[in-house]
């Protein structure tokens, strides 16, 4: 196959490496559910050794993480070499 679809789903668990905002405005590190992510990539095989894939993804965080929007979209391009 030259072109394929590669969907993914991920769940993030927090182990006190992210902080969320408390009702009193202070930040607290926590354990628990962090985020849910889903995305899709479209890998295109260039030759036997190289694949280029464009992708788009969405993530929703369950807590009010400091410095992070609750809903985030992003995309990019990945180049993979296999031997």
């Amino acid at each position: 196959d030259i072109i394929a679809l590669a969907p993914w789903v991920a769940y993030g668990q927090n182990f006190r490496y992210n902080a969320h905002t408390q009702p009193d405005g202070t930040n607290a590190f926590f354990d628990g559910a962090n985020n849910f992510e889903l995305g899709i990539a479209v890998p295109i095989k260039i030759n036997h050794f190289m694949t280029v894939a464009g992708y788009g993804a969405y993530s929703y965080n369950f807590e009010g993480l400091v410095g992070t929007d609750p809903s985030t979209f992003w995309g990019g391009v990945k180049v993979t070499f296999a031997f």
Side-chain angles (χ1 to χ4, degrees), residues 38-73:
L38 57 96
I40 190 161
V42 181
I44 302 168
K45 188 172 183 176
I46 303 300
N47 57 37
H48 183 69
F49 301 107
M50 182 175 157
T51 302
V52 176
Y55 64 89
Y58 169 77
S59 178
Y60 179 80
N61 75 57
F62 302 121
E63 300 287 336
L65 300 179
V66 176
T68 305
D69 291 330
S71 291
T72 305
F73 289 94

Side-chain angles (χ1 to χ4, degrees), residues 11-15 30-36 61-63 65:
Y11 165 81
Q13 180 72 19
N14 189 42
F15 296 103
F30 69 99
D31 291 319
N34 190 29
N35 72 305
F36 174 76
N61 75 57
F62 302 121
E63 300 287 336
L65 300 179

Side-chain angles (χ1 to χ4, degrees), residues 15-36:
F15 296 103
R16 301 187 79 65
Y17 57 86
N18 284 321
H20 63 158
T21 305
Q22 299 290 312
D24 66 359
T26 61
N27 296 332
F29 289 90
F30 69 99
D31 291 319
N34 190 29
N35 72 305
F36 174 76

